[in-house]
Amino acid sequence: MLGQASVPLVGIVDTVVIGRTGDIAALGGVALGAMIINLVFWTFGFLRMGLTGLTAQAHGANDSPEVEAMLLRGLAIGGALGLALLLLQGPLTTMALAVMSGGAQVDAQADAYVTARFFGAPAALAVFAITGWLLGLGRTRAALALQVVMNGANAVLDIVFVWGLGMGAGGVGAGTAGAEWIAVFTGIAICTRVAGGGPVALLRRSERAALFARSALSRMFAVNRDLMIRTIALLLTFTWLVNAGARLGATTLAANHVLLQFISVAAFVLDAFAFTAEARIGQAIGSRSRARFVRAVRLTGEFALLGGAMLALTFWLGGTAVIAFMVTDIATAATARQFLPYAAVVPLLGAPSWMLDGVFIGATQGKALRNAAVVTTVLYIALDLLLRPMGNTGLWIAFLASYLLRAATLGPYLPALLRDITGNETLAKRATPA
């Protein structure tokens, strides 16, 4: 939970550093730019999610060579995809800003932010792989250390570039990109220590034939393909939300961005339980244990619901003070306070959907995740269009409904998953010599 709570600090620090300058266009630019970057970068979030489930299953099966191969594959794929994004940053930025227009001043700030962030793309995607691998092994303290390093570097660099050098939204992007490069080198050092030996030793003992085995790569890409579609579908939900806010003006866009920081904190904190479920469920499937699977679902689910209720109450009672600290613009702060109740209830409504994500990611059930996400996104957009006459109120009602839709569309797949595990457990017992 500590590690996950530190993840959204990157976005919170970015918002506070630029929000306290009083520049509403710069804050709107960071909001728009951050959504573009999230849409592009998290399209490849399968590097985190897919690697967690696959690594956990290899670990549960005591397949150490495959565990190490997973890390090397993830780093290679993440670095290569990140480099491709860096090379394509020009057309990607132009296309995104053409679709998500927030006005000339906001767009200029967003362009500066996005351009700077793309220089961190190879590192950001490699960090996804590193985090997924560590979580798959249950190395939560190592994942926490990595996040602390990245968040600390981001805070320092943001302050230097924005408050010290006056670089505005571009300085926020540069600070975050620099922190991502610091994090990737730190993560590689952590992973090689966990694996035993330095990077060279790890490469030497990893057989090339096993590293690029066709069966392993085919399975990895099959899981990742479905997770990629699922991630894109869910990212479209947030992209639609931000773009809808932008159409309502710079003040609404900035206020919604502030409220999204609350949701980011809730999502990442409660994802701690989901990540625990991913690792435990992956290990349960690797060892073909129904009892371990049921225990992981029950305990993490109970704690997630309790945590969601506590977070909702905390946001409701303390959100006004946090908004006053984050933003100095009076109109933006007032709008954020008006819609705070909608953001406050997200942790409670979203807990079941986040937990089910963890269960199915750990089980590497990409098809179920893909299908549920696509249906959810289509229904959410339809509901948002229907409620558009209600302005920002309709926007938030549709967004809250999306969390209920995610749980409702994914939950029906759970009984079949449990039956599969029960069948595999029976087969494993029959194959075990008496």
Side-chain angles (χ1 to χ4, degrees), residues 42-70:
W42 276 103
T43 294
F44 306 99
F46 60 77
L47 289 167
R48 206 288 301 159
M49 295 176 286
L51 219 60
T52 297
L54 293 171
T55 300
Q57 291 180 24
H59 183 57
N62 295 316
D63 190 350
S64 296
E66 181 62 14
V67 168
E68 294 182 356
M70 283 292 176

Side-chain angles (χ1 to χ4, degrees), residues 88-128:
L88 294 171
Q89 66 168 307
L92 287 174
T93 302
T94 301
M95 181 172 61
L97 289 175
V99 174
M100 300 176 60
S101 179
Q105 289 185 318
V106 171
D107 283 359
Q109 295 284 351
D111 181 65
Y113 174 88
V114 170
T115 299
R117 281 296 306 273
F118 267 115
F119 283 98
L125 268 57
V127 169
F128 286 174

Side-chain angles (χ1 to χ4, degrees), residues 202-219:
L202 182 59
L203 286 169
R204 283 178 176 173
R205 67 172 180 257
S206 298
E207 297 181 8
R208 184 172 297 180
L211 187 60
F212 297 104
R214 186 174 218 176
S215 59
L217 288 175
S218 296
R219 186 187 180 205

Side-chain angles (χ1 to χ4, degrees), residues 128-213:
F128 286 174
I130 290 170
T131 303
W133 189 78
L134 290 172
L135 291 172
L137 295 178
R139 298 279 186 158
T140 54
R141 289 185 181 180
L144 168 60
L146 179 59
Q147 288 299 328
V148 168
V149 169
M150 184 162 70
N151 291 331
N154 179 68
V156 172
L157 292 174
D158 271 8
I159 291 171
V160 170
F161 292 153
V162 178
W163 291 354
L165 301 179
M167 294 174 61
V172 173
T176 304
E180 287 166 339
W181 279 107
I182 292 172
V184 75
F185 288 114
T186 302
I188 290 172
I190 291 173
C191 287
T192 52
R193 184 174 180 179
V194 169
V200 176
L202 182 59
L203 286 169
R204 283 178 176 173
R205 67 172 180 257
S206 298
E207 297 181 8
R208 184 172 297 180
L211 187 60
F212 297 104

Side-chain angles (χ1 to χ4, degrees), residues 8 25 100 104 106 108 151 213 238 281 290 318 349 361 372 375 398 405 420:
M100 300 176 60
V106 171
N151 291 331
F238 286 90
I281 284 169
R290 182 183 186 277
L349 294 182
I361 289 171
V375 171
L405 290 169
D420 288 343

Side-chain angles (χ1 to χ4, degrees), residues 363-433:
T364 60
Q365 295 292 308
K367 289 183 179 179
L369 288 160
R370 178 199 66 196
N371 295 343
V374 170
V375 171
T376 294
T377 301
V378 171
L379 292 176
Y380 159 72
I381 291 174
L383 182 60
D384 180 80
L385 291 172
L386 183 66
L387 298 177
R388 186 152 287 186
M390 298 175 64
N392 206 38
T393 299
L395 181 151
W396 277 99
I397 291 174
F399 185 63
L400 292 179
S402 72
Y403 287 100
L404 300 177
L405 290 169
R406 283 171 63 179
T409 53
L410 193 53
Y413 289 96
L414 193 58
L417 176 58
L418 186 58
R419 286 195 299 270
D420 288 343
I421 295 169
T422 302
N424 289 336
E425 183 181 45
T426 302
L427 291 174
K429 288 179 179 179
R430 289 176 179 173
T432 303

